[in-house]
Amino acid sequence: MNRTPNLEMLVLNQISQVVMREKNASALLKQVLAILYREMGLLRGTVTLRKGDLLFIEASHGLSEIEMQRGKYRLGEGITGQVALSGKPRIIPDISREPEFLDRTGARGRNSHVAFICVPIIYKDEVIGTLSIDREMLPGSDLDRDFNLIEIVANLTAEAVQLGLSEHDERSRLIEENTRLRRELDRVARPPEMIGDCQAMRAVFSMLEKVAPSDATVLVRGGSGTGKELIARAIFRMGPRRDKPFVVVNSAALPENLIESELFGHEKGAFTGAVSRRVGLVEAADTGTIFLDEIGDLGPSMQVKLLRFIQERTFQRIGSNEEHRSDVRIIAATSRNLEKLMEKELFREDLYYRLNVFPIRLPDLTERRSDIPLLAEFFLDKFNKKHHRSIRRIAAPAMNMMRAYSWPGNVRELENCIERAVLAATDDAVHIYDLPSSIQAAAPAVSPGAVTGDFFTRVAQFERDLISSALHNNRGNVAAAARELDLTPRIMHYKIAKLDLKPGDFKNR
């Protein structure tokens, strides 16, 4: 393209005005590229910023948003990366003949006969980015003259590019801070003894925060092995009576004829074998907290006496008419359906309403599958210490099998499973064959060695295990997992969607 002698002065004058007027660095750089396009007739122009060892496109002219997102380079990678690394400009007369030209954005095509000029942007002796243009080679084109002009423009805009880097850092910091604040707002204080991050458990933790500081009676509902006693202890530790006694009464473990004596005590000679006075658990818990576990298993007569104690906080030892008072907080728990027991007249309605002041329902483990990796890792650490083992991880196929299992015994069954696996493991990882046979039998297709079916079925299962393992190793980072398997991020996302895997489930493993 033929140019008048004053073209350079015209371009530099326009750019100088933009530099003085425009305060937004990204907008300034876009305007600079627009001037170069308009006055020089370039095909494309880009400004990259350096962030550590990575270069990314901050502003462009002639590139789509998707093409800009593709334009990421490591130092020394391709022409752009080499210019940023060396601080020396490059002029490529024909990109179709230059093997080091990557065309990372995909905007040109390998058969494009286009010249490419890339110059470093230097601020205080440090390369902070690059400025590059694509030039169509026409009669009269002068690449050296183009290069001299682009180099001056890079010097003029260096301060703006540095400002762009600062704005990008500030933007990243604000995004990170915003994310952190959102997490804090979304997260309630988790008792140290409780493991879980799913929505259902966060709702439980929120209820704990509300009820623990009070003296209100709490009824904990949940299946066997869900952690009802842990919840009770958490309420106790978070409450005002934390320095007082915490007494546990397992209603299901005590025979009907002994539970009254255990709860309220007895006098000497009150019945055969009562050779001395015995202080009951209710009295022992005075000023503290009493935890009535499996309250649904109490018989009718004992329900009446317990109801009176809850109403009056008074009791009589067996064999005595003397009234005693005990100031206790009551936390009860049950795995039984009290409403159905009331329908059958096996549980008193008035006792139910006395206990059901502040109900907390614990979800079954099948309702919180996303917590299985967290719980498994917690138990792995616990039993490593207990049994002096050094099992470092749970293999992805084994974790997948545990996530698919129904867990009728809930968290307690998972705890036993991990302890067994820690003892059975022969290397530094828990594998499928280390899990209890009941779990393996429930999901036989998860193990590559146990997969049955034709060739394609086995390959599909192997592919799932391979991608799951890569996500596990990289804590759900899809890009890193793709690099580990030498796949493009696009193919990795396609495989993940096809296999219905959720990268977020691997983040805390």
Side-chain angles (χ1 to χ4, degrees):
M1 177 181 178
N2 292 315
R3 299 208 307 244
T4 63
N6 293 326
L7 179 61
E8 283 85 355
M9 294 302 299
L10 175 65
V11 170
L12 294 175
N13 181 53
Q14 291 184 41
I15 290 175
S16 297
Q17 290 182 31
V18 171
V19 169
M20 288 186 293
R21 184 180 66 249
E22 182 58 66
K23 301 303 179 186
N24 181 282
S26 183
L28 184 153
L29 295 172
K30 289 178 182 177
Q31 290 182 50
V32 167
L33 293 171
I35 292 170
L36 294 176
Y37 172 81
R38 184 174 63 247
E39 302 298 342
M40 293 178 61
L42 59 86
L43 294 175
R44 280 168 290 272
T46 61
V47 175
T48 67
L49 300 185
R50 178 181 173 181
K51 185 73 173 176
D53 291 331
L54 187 68
L55 292 161
F56 61 92
I57 297 176
E58 174 67 11
S60 73
H61 191 97
L63 295 180
S64 68
E65 193 68 32
I66 294 176
E67 289 170 341
M68 285 181 63
Q69 291 174 6
R70 293 188 196 128
K72 292 183 173 62
Y73 310 86
R74 295 194 177 278
L75 285 182
E77 185 180 34
I79 303 300
T80 302
Q82 290 175 19
V83 169
L85 179 64
S86 66
K88 297 177 181 179
R90 291 285 301 273
I91 301 175
I92 310 299
D94 187 346
I95 62 173
S96 67
R97 298 182 179 181
E98 176 53 64
E100 292 183 323
F101 188 83
L102 300 179
D103 190 26
R104 182 63 56 78
T105 63
R108 289 105 173 164
R110 293 303 304 171
N111 296 321
S112 298
H113 297 285
V114 172
F116 180 77
I117 300 174
C118 184
V119 300
I121 301 175
I122 300 174
Y123 182 79
K124 293 184 178 180
D125 299 325
E126 183 181 355
V127 177
I128 59 173
T130 66
L131 170 62
S132 62
I133 65 166
D134 289 10
R135 154 73 73 200
E136 187 177 5
M137 291 305 294
L138 298 172
S141 297
D142 189 340
L143 292 182
D144 290 331
R145 193 175 176 186
D146 289 340
F147 159 72
N148 290 331
L149 179 57
I150 296 301
E151 196 167 41
I152 295 171
V153 172
N155 292 333
L156 274 176
T157 57
E159 192 166 343
V161 173
Q162 176 60 33
L163 180 60
L165 274 173
S166 301
E167 287 178 354
H168 186 273
D169 289 342
E170 179 67 10
R171 188 162 61 246
S172 299
R173 188 191 66 78
L174 289 173
I175 291 172
E176 184 177 333
E177 180 71 7
N178 182 265
T179 302
R180 184 185 66 81
L181 290 173
R182 284 180 178 274
R183 285 174 180 168
E184 287 184 359
L185 288 172
D186 199 36
R187 184 183 70 239
V188 295
R190 178 177 65 81
E193 62 269 38
M194 301 296 297
I195 305 297
D197 195 42
C198 68
Q199 195 64 37
M201 287 306 295
R202 277 186 279 177
V204 170
F205 301 150
S206 177
M207 287 189 282
L208 288 184
E209 281 192 326
K210 293 171 184 174
V211 75
S214 71
D215 264 340
T217 299
V218 179
L219 178 61
V220 185
R221 312 284 295 267
S224 177
T226 52
K228 296 186 290 296
E229 185 172 339
L230 279 178
I231 289 290
R233 291 186 181 276
I235 294 171
F236 166 68
R237 291 193 182 104
M238 296 165 66
R241 299 174 184 248
R242 66 180 66 88
D243 298 323
K244 304 299 182 180
F246 179 82
V247 177
V248 178
V249 180
N250 190 333
S251 307
L254 294 172
E256 179 73 19
N257 61 338
L258 291 182
I259 191 166
E260 182 180 0
S261 174
E262 287 292 319
L263 269 179
F264 302 127
H266 61 257
E267 297 291 344
K268 179 179 179 180
F271 51 82
T272 304
V275 294
S276 61
R277 173 186 289 178
R278 177 186 175 87
V279 173
L281 297 176
V282 162
E283 193 171 352
D286 187 29
T287 71
T289 301
I290 189 164
F291 174 50
L292 304 173
D293 197 9
E294 295 302 341
I295 196 74
D297 290 342
L298 282 179
S301 63
M302 195 62 223
Q303 289 180 32
V304 174
K305 293 172 182 176
L306 180 60
L307 175 63
R308 180 178 178 276
F309 171 70
I310 293 173
Q311 289 173 327
E312 308 294 337
R313 290 300 196 270
T314 61
F315 65 94
Q316 295 175 347
R317 298 192 191 106
I318 298 175
S320 171
N321 294 324
E322 184 180 353
E323 291 282 338
H324 296 274
R325 180 171 293 276
S326 183
D327 173 25
V328 297
R329 180 181 192 173
I330 296 173
I331 303 174
T334 183
S335 58
R336 303 188 67 181
N337 189 324
L338 297 183
E339 291 77 12
K340 286 189 176 181
L341 291 177
M342 285 191 293
E343 289 176 8
K344 298 176 181 178
E345 298 185 350
L346 296 176
F347 197 84
R348 293 182 63 94
E349 188 172 347
D350 47 4
L351 177 58
Y352 170 81
Y353 288 115
R354 284 287 181 181
L355 293 172
N356 200 41
V357 176
F358 195 98
I360 296 177
R361 179 188 173 276
L362 287 180
D364 288 342
L365 191 52
T366 52
E367 299 174 58
R368 45 183 297 213
R369 291 188 186 277
S370 61
D371 284 341
I372 289 176
L374 293 176
L375 290 161
E377 294 289 349
F378 173 79
F379 292 136
L380 182 68
D381 182 62
K382 173 182 175 179
F383 293 119
N384 267 332
K385 293 174 181 176
K386 178 179 177 180
H387 299 297
H388 308 289
R389 301 299 307 274
S390 55
I391 312 303
R392 296 175 56 191
R393 63 187 181 89
I394 299 173
M399 185 66 77
N400 290 339
M401 179 175 284
M402 289 193 292
R403 284 173 56 85
Y405 182 59
S406 60
W407 299 108
N410 291 298
V411 179
R412 185 182 296 120
E413 184 181 5
L414 174 61
E415 182 178 14
N416 294 339
C417 164
I418 298 299
E419 182 170 20
R420 191 258 188 208
V422 166
L423 292 171
T426 55
D427 56 22
D428 67 345
V430 170
H431 299 282
I432 286 176
Y433 47 78
D434 298 319
L435 301 179
S437 57
S438 57
I439 297 178
Q440 294 184 50
V446 176
S447 170
V451 173
T452 58
D454 60 14
F455 170 82
F456 297 101
T457 302
R458 298 184 183 210
V459 169
Q461 184 59 55
F462 179 73
E463 183 180 60
R464 169 182 284 275
D465 292 341
L466 199 62
I467 291 177
S468 296
S469 181
L471 288 170
H472 177 275
N473 294 341
N474 294 281
R475 295 187 177 274
N477 186 316
V478 175
R483 286 195 295 271
E484 179 179 322
L485 298 176
D486 200 21
L487 296 174
T488 65
R490 184 184 66 82
I491 292 177
M492 191 67 173
H493 279 291
Y494 168 77
K495 294 291 186 183
I496 288 171
K498 179 183 176 183
L499 296 169
D500 196 27
L501 297 173
K502 294 177 175 59
D505 293 345
F506 296 80
K507 285 184 178 179
N508 297 310
R509 296 187 179 185

